[in-house]
Amino acid sequence: MTREFQTSRRAFLALAAAGGAAAALPGEAVQAQAVPTNARIVIIGAGAAGTALVNRLVDRLEGAQITLIDPRVEHLYQPGLTLVAAGLKPPSYVVSQTTDWLPDGVTLIPARVAAVDPEAQTVSTERGETLDYDFLVVAPGLILDHDAIEGFSLDLVGENGIGALYAGPDYAARTWHAASRFIEEGGRGVFTRPATEMKCAGAPLKHTFLIDDRLTRAETRGAARIDYIAPQSSLFGVPIVAERVRMLFDERDINYTYGRTLRSIDAGTKIATFTDADGFTHDEEYDYLHVIPPQRAPEFVRQSGLAWADRWTDQGWVDCDPATLRHNRYANIWAVGDVAGVPKGKTAASVKWQVPVVEDHLVAAIQGAEGTETYNGYTSCPLITRIGRAMLIEFDYNNDLTPSFPGIIAPLEELWISWLMKEVALKATYNAMLRGQA
């Protein structure tokens, strides 16, 4: 056993122990005396953000009428989808039941939201219910707009060399089926990302790195070409990270092309068509194609007048203050999670830091006061670069790196300990967050 391995192992075990202790102990919100209220609180969405918030509010408030609206029976641990799509975890790894995470005393309405009337302070569902609220939290996640790519449908995933891991655990498994054939036979792999904002912008890179590593381990890398084609002008939104990824791509003979957006697919001929900023089209042949579609807010957000009017107009993210996540026009509405119209923050790690801010301001509003907590854009991306190695990238609104473990985990180094944070520790922290304990 090498000294480096021993040191890394000790550091990881110390971090895991610290994280486990933090998750087990009640935080300040739990220790605070419950606030008596008869406020009607509606939370749209029972994903990571909505579930974490409702668990915290139940402990903070006494007598509140809290209603959660979400039609999804299953809760998905979305950070695990990249592992499923690389054959490292089964689909069941990311699936649990929505109700498994919900506390007593909360009403769950299993329906889709049709509309919000922020003036009348009502939420309407597609089942015909209308709920009055005093305070509203918008946390429905986002929509994967697969229809925006001509010729693509989810039925194609797993066949004709097409993968799409974002669509859910079954599609992530089908993605691995298609990628496995590419790994076995070689050819050209084309990896994409959309022009819109997206959840976990590191996922396209993770999948590219993992399939490259799978090819190397299968000793078929020499028979394969990998191309990463994206609309952006760099490989990552944080310049120092983008440069590090570029260096790794160069080292591993991964080609990259900027300024091109996937527009259509001909699955029969295996041709993907991209457009550039000047409107010119570029046809790319592929043997394996990984598709990440444009991503947008649910339509009710735009139709209800909750979206930004002058930013992200094609995507519809909620118009909210980046520090408090409070709606800029309706003081009793907050947005949290993927749907929030802020410059950073579409990851589960972001949710962990957003939820206490919303909790603080909502509880303060019930008491007729102002909250004090703020969100600085913290986003974390355990960027897998090969099986057993990752870079733990953490940054804020200013694109400044904000490492949680300075001196232990170097953010731009490929480390075993960073891999374990992703593959082992992250899910435990995520689960504690859902319970309102982290």
Side-chain angles (χ1 to χ4, degrees):
M1 183 180 296
T2 67
R3 178 175 298 177
E4 177 187 4
F5 178 86
Q6 289 175 322
T7 302
S8 296
R9 183 174 183 274
R10 283 196 297 268
F12 174 75
L13 292 174
L15 290 173
L25 291 174
E28 292 181 3
V30 176
Q31 293 173 340
Q33 184 175 355
V35 174
T37 178
N38 59 1
R40 298 165 299 177
I41 301 169
V42 173
I43 300 174
I44 301 174
T51 298
L53 181 61
V54 78
N55 274 290
R56 295 176 74 97
L57 289 178
V58 163
D59 287 324
R60 289 296 305 277
L61 303 174
E62 181 180 347
Q65 179 182 321
I66 304 176
T67 303
L68 195 60
I69 307 175
D70 197 311
R72 294 170 292 188
V73 174
E74 293 180 336
H75 181 97
L76 299 183
Y77 172 61
Q78 295 182 63
L81 290 173
T82 51
L83 300 176
V84 176
L88 299 172
K89 296 289 185 182
S92 59
Y93 175 72
V94 302
V95 180
S96 59
Q97 299 300 302
T98 296
T99 53
D100 289 347
W101 305 103
L102 301 184
D104 294 334
V106 172
T107 300
L108 173 64
I109 296 179
R112 296 185 185 279
V113 169
V116 173
D117 186 334
E119 300 292 342
Q121 296 187 184
T122 61
V123 177
S124 301
T125 74
E126 292 184 352
R127 298 195 317 189
E129 299 121 319
T130 298
L131 291 83
D132 297 310
Y133 67 81
D134 299 306
F135 301 96
L136 174 67
V137 179
V138 184
L142 53 71
I143 299 298
L144 300 172
D145 192 1
H146 294 105
D147 292 340
I149 301 172
E150 183 181 349
F152 177 77
S153 75
L154 289 175
D155 292 340
L156 297 173
V157 179
E159 306 297 330
N160 298 302
I162 294 176
L165 72 84
Y166 267 79
D170 292 339
Y171 295 105
R174 295 185 199 180
T175 295
W176 172 236
H177 175 75
S180 297
R181 186 166 184 177
F182 169 59
I183 291 164
E184 181 181 348
E185 299 178 356
R188 187 188 187 200
V190 175
F191 297 76
T192 72
R193 65 158 290 171
T196 62
E197 300 291 320
M198 61 181 292
K199 63 173 70 189
C200 190
L205 298 171
K206 296 175 194 178
H207 190 60
T208 306
F209 278 126
L210 282 168
I211 299 308
D212 169 71
D213 191 39
R214 283 292 202 180
L215 285 159
T216 300
R217 291 167 183 262
E219 299 183 347
T220 55
R221 183 63 178 89
R225 173 188 170 105
I226 295 180
D227 285 273
Y228 185 88
I229 305 177
Q232 290 73 28
S233 58
S234 68
L235 293 170
F236 200 82
V238 179
I240 192 172
V241 178
E243 177 59 16
R244 178 62 174 142
V245 172
R246 186 196 63 77
M247 292 171 62
L248 291 174
F249 271 19
D250 286 344
E251 289 174 9
R252 294 170 197 181
D253 197 24
I254 297 174
N255 306 291
Y256 45 91
T257 302
Y258 302 136
R260 296 186 183 179
T261 303
L262 178 64
R263 299 296 185 188
S264 65
I265 298 170
D266 186 328
T269 60
K270 289 190 174 181
I271 293 177
T273 299
F274 294 77
T275 59
D276 61 26
D278 297 318
F280 293 109
T281 61
H282 305 266
D283 291 339
E284 306 287 352
E285 296 181 350
Y286 66 85
D287 294 287
Y288 175 67
L289 174 69
H290 186 243
V291 178
I292 298 181
Q295 298 175 27
R296 314 187 190 284
E299 187 61 21
F300 80 83
V301 174
R302 195 194 313 267
Q303 295 301 322
S304 299
L306 299 177
W308 282 94
D310 57 355
R311 302 179 67 185
W312 301 296
T313 54
D314 62 326
Q315 298 164 55
W317 311 118
V318 174
D319 179 358
C320 64
D321 181 88
T324 66
L325 303 170
R326 195 173 206 155
H327 200 280
N328 284 320
R329 286 174 284 115
Y330 301 104
N332 62 341
I333 298 178
W334 288 264
V336 62
D338 293 343
V339 80
V342 296
K344 310 284 186 191
K346 289 178 171 39
T347 70
S350 303
V351 166
K352 181 180 183 298
W353 293 101
Q354 290 175 354
V355 165
V357 173
V358 174
E359 173 199 1
D360 175 66
H361 286 267
L362 196 159
V363 173
I366 288 174
Q367 297 174 295
E370 292 292 330
T372 59
E373 297 293 326
T374 58
Y375 172 62
N376 71 350
Y378 176 85
T379 303
S380 174
C381 175
L383 183 53
I384 298 170
T385 55
R386 55 168 56 113
I387 297 171
R389 290 290 185 272
M391 300 186 297
L392 184 57
I393 308 298
E394 301 167 279
F395 52 95
D396 61 16
Y397 282 141
N398 298 320
N399 288 331
D400 293 328
L401 295 183
T402 56
S404 295
F405 309 103
I408 298 177
I409 300 180
L412 298 179
E413 291 187 23
E414 300 177 87
L415 300 174
W416 172 78
I417 188 173
S418 298
W419 161 263
L420 286 185
M421 293 293 287
K422 165 69 176 180
E423 204 267 341
V424 177
L426 183 59
K427 190 175 183 183
T429 301
Y430 178 92
N431 289 348
M433 177 188 75
L434 291 183
R435 296 291 189 197
Q437 299 170 338

